[in-house]
């Protein structure tokens, strides 16, 4: 199994992507703006090939266990990112919710020169089991690439 994040559009402070698992479109993702120089909690993760793992520690994990009790096995973390840590695929709708993490949604809007995603909880519930199965494979990978011109 392979997952891929393909960035398709950039707003003033936001980046819109598409998430694919085994070549099949799953949902949209929202990240912060792509920047040459990282600004903590305001910069999209870099392109490249990385790994997914289940992170079962920390406050966010406790919160998600409470909210998604029957579903939650740990936070889906993207690991191996240079100069980034604790990057999770999670729920949220705007760049105010992201802090450098990809947010999932079934739809998107473009207002005031920025993107936002919609139906984030529903998208998360749909992709989470698939990402858990992928994260449990020892040789899994997630590819992050840009598919637009700056």
């Amino acid at each position: 199994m392979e997952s891929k994040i393909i960035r398709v559009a950039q707003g003033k402070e936001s980046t819109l992507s598409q998430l694919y698992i085994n070549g099949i479109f799953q949902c949209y993702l929202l990240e912060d703006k792509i920047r040459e120089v990282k600004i903590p909690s305001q910069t999209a993760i870099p392109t490249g090939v990385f790994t997914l793992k289940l992170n079962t520690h920390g406050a966010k994990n406790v919160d998600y266990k409470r909210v998604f009790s029957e579903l939650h096995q740990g936070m889906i973390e993207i690991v191996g990112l240079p100069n980034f840590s604790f990057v999770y695929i999670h729920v949220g709708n705007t760049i105010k919710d992201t802090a450098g993490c990809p947010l999932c949604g079934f739809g998107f809007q473009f207002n005031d020169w920025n993107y936002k995603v919609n139906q984030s909880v529903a998208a998360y519930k749909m992709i989470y089991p698939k990402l858990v199965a992928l994260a449990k494979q020892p040789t899994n990978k997630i590819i992050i690439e840009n598919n637009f011109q700056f």
Side-chain angles (χ1 to χ4, degrees), residues 16-58:
L16 184 69
S17 304
Q18 298 172 336
L19 174 66
Y20 292 82
I21 298 175
N22 291 332
I24 300 170
F25 174 76
Q26 302 294 312
C27 68
Y28 292 99
L29 297 175
L30 180 72
E31 295 179 80
D32 288 306
K33 180 179 179 176
I34 297 168
R35 301 177 193 277
E36 291 296 321
V37 177
K38 179 183 175 184
I39 299 173
S41 299
Q42 296 179 28
T43 304
I45 56 181
T47 58
V49 180
F50 307 102
T51 304
L52 295 177
K53 79 169 194 171
L54 287 174
N55 185 323
T56 57
H57 305 286

Side-chain angles (χ1 to χ4, degrees), residues 31-117:
E31 295 179 80
D32 288 306
K33 180 179 179 176
I34 297 168
R35 301 177 193 277
E36 291 296 321
V37 177
K38 179 183 175 184
I39 299 173
S41 299
Q42 296 179 28
T43 304
I45 56 181
T47 58
V49 180
F50 307 102
T51 304
L52 295 177
K53 79 169 194 171
L54 287 174
N55 185 323
T56 57
H57 305 286
K60 197 160 205 68
N61 184 64
V62 171
D63 292 343
Y64 274 57
K65 184 66 175 167
R66 183 178 37 80
V67 174
F68 302 105
S69 58
E70 72 289 342
L71 186 68
H72 188 75
Q73 298 179 44
M75 297 303 299
I76 301 294
E77 184 176 1
I78 303 172
V79 295
L81 298 162
N83 302 315
F84 286 79
S85 56
F86 306 108
V87 174
Y88 306 123
I89 297 174
H90 64 87
V91 300
N93 299 105
T94 71
I95 56 171
K96 293 177 184 173
D97 303 321
T98 177
C101 297
L103 309 174
C104 55
F106 278 143
F108 68 90
Q109 293 178 329
F110 184 70
N111 294 336
D112 298 322
W113 301 103
N114 273 310
Y115 289 92
K116 73 178 210 175
V117 292

